[in-house]
Amino acid sequence: MEKDLEMRSGMPTYAVKTAISTLLEEAALTRALLDDNFTAHFGNAIVCLFTRLIGSGLTFEQLKDMFPGIILTVFAFSYSFDIANQAFAVEEDSTNKPNRPIPSGKLTRDGAYRRWLLSWIISLALVGLEVGFRAALVLFAWEVWVALFYVWPKFQNWVARNLFTAVGATIQLRLLDGVLEKTLPSFRANSSLTWLLFTWLVWTIHVQEFHDMEGDERVGRQTLPLVVGHRGQFPLRVVTAMIIGGTGISSIVLAQLWLTSNPVLLCLGLGHILFMLTVAVRLVVLPFKEADKITYKYYYTLATYSLLLFHQHTERLGSVGGNATELW
């Protein structure tokens, strides 16, 4: 009798420990799934949100109210992509990214498929409840967009690859706008940031393809570096470097940065041109897999963020030489 009571009293404790252990394992797995694209997804969200908030008159209380919606939409956007990407691109990851959960054996394909279906359904429901029906529709559009490129029919040509990222970034921006619109009914999204982000990515995002060529060739993916062939890869690097470096230089020239007395704008402009030229030089001088990976993950990302911030600040100031307090 006493042993029976002891066993029963120990069951809740065992169940709690098992539940906690399961949750911790899932959290670690989720972190591993999101790790590769964390900088791109979360960094893009932070920078885009920051540019939207400048001059909005948002109070600290309103920012606190927005926080759950921001975290939820950014996480849902990131997880929706990464789980589908990794569940349906195991062969490519086995070559390019063997440390990812599926190639490394931390997650089975069946487990990835289950998480893919459940996460897409649950994310829509949570975003709809927390942010609103329109935001849920935007997230649904993202899921459809991801499905077309990674589930079926898996568009493979390089134009589609560039277009996928460009449209995806603008969808993420629209999700964040949904959170802002809920908190600030008077908020009206400026379309210039959307078009700037879209245009930049369409013309330059193939920078990410240089370090993945081996795996892409293995699975038959037609990225731009593979389309131009080995002979055309160096000219492609040069042309891409000219586009990126030229974008930085033209931004400074059009803004007439040398005339400004605004220290904030000056720092942003100098950072912008520095990151742009760094990416341009690295593409031509360091045409190696590991160097290309660093170029994309760090320098290209910083170049993109500095581009958005610099252009948004110059647009908000309206003219060069404005008061620095206008930025904040």
Side-chain angles (χ1 to χ4, degrees), residues 87 185 211 245 260 328:
H211 70 275
T260 185
W328 315 105

Side-chain angles (χ1 to χ4, degrees), residues 18 116 162 210 236 282:
T18 302
W116 165 55
N162 284 29
F210 287 116
L236 175 62
R282 286 181 64 92

Side-chain angles (χ1 to χ4, degrees), residues 30 33 105 193 265:
T30 299
L33 283 166
L193 179 64
L265 190 61

